[in-house]
Amino acid sequence: MTNLFQPRLLNGVFGDPGLFVRLRWERRALLLDLGDLTAQPPADLLKVTDVFVSHTHVDHFIGFDHLLRIALGRDRTIRLFGPPGIIANVEAKLSGYTWNLVEGYALVFEVYEVSPEKITAAHFPCGARFERVDLSPPSLFRGVLLEDPLFRVEAAHLDHKIPCLSFALAEAQRINIDPERLKGLGLSVGPWLTEFKRLLRSSAPDETIVHAMYPDITGQRFREVALGDLRDRIATVTRGQRLVYVTDALYSRENQQKIVALAHDADILFCEAVFLEQDRDRATERYHLTARQAGLLAREANVKELVLSHFSPRYQDCPDALYREASEAFGGPVR
Ligand SMILES: [Zn+2]
Ligand SMILES: [Zn+2]
């Protein structure tokens, strides 16, 4: 089965952390964190429609300028989700430059500031010199940032001495139609199947009527069939992929609970492992995780695979030690 999410870590384990996630079959990508982006192909950055910023420490936000530079003059809207303060952070970045001669430029940043209770939005249109437009009222935040027909993005606030967002990308249920069985029922493929899949994903009642298409000498005709009946005969429904990104968090009881809830049964947990367990005091002081703690979280959350990032430069000569330590604690595959 081919996955919708095609993730790759940015900048290796010692560089600024971040995740580029191409969406297969779509000319579109998601970006988690805005660290150094200068090594990323501009064609990739131009696919980004949504950016999720964990927090605005410089190693997670300095890439905003590069993204701005690449996207400037393009006709696109980039949504940017971040923790409390993100609207002022973006405004301050944009006000650091001079914006005349940009009338007619169509680029817009839509910024969503996520507090534990609500999401506040502001727009920054390039054509209006990126002057801030506040949108009101705020919407309630109940753990979900974005609902797309193909996937959903969830977030949780972690304690990094400041609020730091962790993210989960959850692919919608996968629905596969068996062409042989479809043929066996005398039905033909067509746009009606898209509507059929949409009804299944929205958990419509089994009795919902579907207009199924069948070939007829006079052209295409439709037959009324119950949704549940048709599902049982022609469709296989499986869970979609779940990716979770956790960075910059203290190993506190509350953070542990939130991370485990977000990453539960995930296919891949991308997790920071800044320090070795021997330097745990330093990790606690800096509100970061050790490799062992990342491994314990992965085990408790029952994830299938753990991918480490954000190593401290002090381990430049011995990155293997971090993998070994995480792997021992996890007992599963670590990359
Ligand atoms: Zn940080
Ligand atoms: Zn960091």
Side-chain angles (χ1 to χ4, degrees):
M1 183 86 63
T2 339
N3 292 320
L4 169 68
F5 300 129
Q6 309 280 312
R8 68 174 168 79
L9 268 188
L10 307 179
N11 304 319
V13 287
F14 288 105
D16 289 358
L19 198 62
F20 178 82
V21 185
R22 195 165 72 83
L23 302 177
R24 188 167 284 236
W25 310 296
E26 305 266 297
R27 300 169 63 83
R28 183 179 170 192
L30 313 176
L31 187 58
L32 280 67
D33 268 341
L34 283 177
D36 181 6
L37 295 178
T38 49
Q40 307 309 316
D44 277 359
L45 294 178
L46 284 170
K47 289 196 183 73
V48 172
T49 54
D50 298 87
V51 181
F52 302 89
V53 176
S54 61
H55 63 305
T56 52
H57 279 160
V58 67
D59 53 332
H60 297 258
F61 197 52
I62 197 167
F64 178 86
D65 294 53
H66 190 70
L67 182 65
L68 166 67
R69 186 70 193 88
I70 295 279
L72 196 68
R74 305 276 175 161
D75 180 4
R76 63 192 54 226
T77 296
I78 298 175
R79 285 184 288 208
L80 197 154
F81 299 81
I86 190 80
I87 292 176
N89 289 136
V90 169
E91 187 175 28
K93 283 243 178 219
L94 291 170
S95 68
Y97 299 99
T98 307
W99 299 111
N100 64 335
L101 309 178
V102 291
E103 302 84 5
Y105 279 24
L107 173 68
V108 178
F109 285 101
E110 291 185 5
V111 185
Y112 297 88
E113 180 163 322
V114 187
S115 82
E117 304 79 32
K118 61 179 197 293
I119 303 178
T120 312
H123 289 185
F124 296 89
C126 180
R129 298 174 307 281
F130 286 119
E131 268 167 36
R132 170 175 169 172
V133 181
D134 285 306
L135 304 188
S136 59
S139 54
L140 287 179
F141 174 59
R142 295 229 168 82
V144 176
L145 298 181
L146 189 61
E147 283 277 10
D148 186 278
L150 295 175
F151 64 93
R152 190 177 62 236
V153 181
E154 302 165 19
H157 291 81
L158 301 179
D159 178 11
H160 179 47
K161 209 167 184 178
I162 49 168
C164 177
L165 293 173
S166 51
F167 304 104
L169 309 182
E171 185 187 354
Q173 283 182 329
R174 292 173 180 178
I175 300 168
N176 289 88
I177 308 289
D178 185 327
E180 287 308 311
R181 292 200 196 163
L182 191 73
K183 219 158 108 191
L185 290 176
L187 299 174
S188 42
V189 290
W192 72 275
L193 284 169
T194 309
E195 174 62 8
F196 169 61
K197 290 180 179 179
R198 191 193 65 77
L199 287 167
L200 286 180
R201 287 201 183 99
S202 67
S203 312
D206 279 4
E207 314 77 67
T208 309
I209 295 298
V210 177
H211 296 273
M213 192 168 82
Y214 65 97
D216 182 274
I217 42 164
T218 61
Q220 301 292 352
R221 304 282 286 246
F222 291 90
R223 187 194 302 164
E224 294 193 346
V225 201
L227 179 69
D229 196 29
L230 200 56
R231 178 197 55 223
D232 296 346
R233 285 160 180 254
I234 65 165
T236 317
V237 182
T238 46
R239 200 190 74 125
Q241 206 187 9
R242 187 175 180 88
L243 308 186
V244 173
Y245 176 82
V246 171
T247 194
D248 296 47
L250 174 71
Y251 194 68
S252 66
R253 185 142 193 90
E254 203 186 332
N255 275 354
Q256 286 171 50
Q257 285 168 346
K258 287 180 177 174
I259 293 167
V260 169
L262 195 71
H264 203 259
D265 288 340
D267 296 276
I268 309 177
L269 169 61
F270 296 89
C271 190
E272 72 155 21
V274 181
F275 294 98
L276 279 171
E277 191 64 16
Q278 70 194 33
D279 299 317
R280 190 176 61 199
D281 290 348
R282 181 78 179 138
T284 308
E285 227 172 78
R286 309 290 296 169
Y287 281 65
H288 276 298
L289 298 173
T290 68
R292 178 168 178 272
Q293 290 163 347
L296 291 174
L297 290 164
R299 184 167 67 187
E300 205 186 332
N302 193 37
V303 305
K304 292 198 183 75
E305 185 182 8
L306 173 64
V307 178
L308 302 180
S309 66
H310 214 350
F311 293 177
S312 160
R314 68 172 65 189
Y315 309 117
Q316 203 71 249
D317 299 330
C318 57
D320 289 352
L322 291 133
Y323 288 109
R324 220 175 306 121
E325 189 174 285
S327 171
E328 271 168 28
F330 175 32
V334 179
R335 261 199 293 140

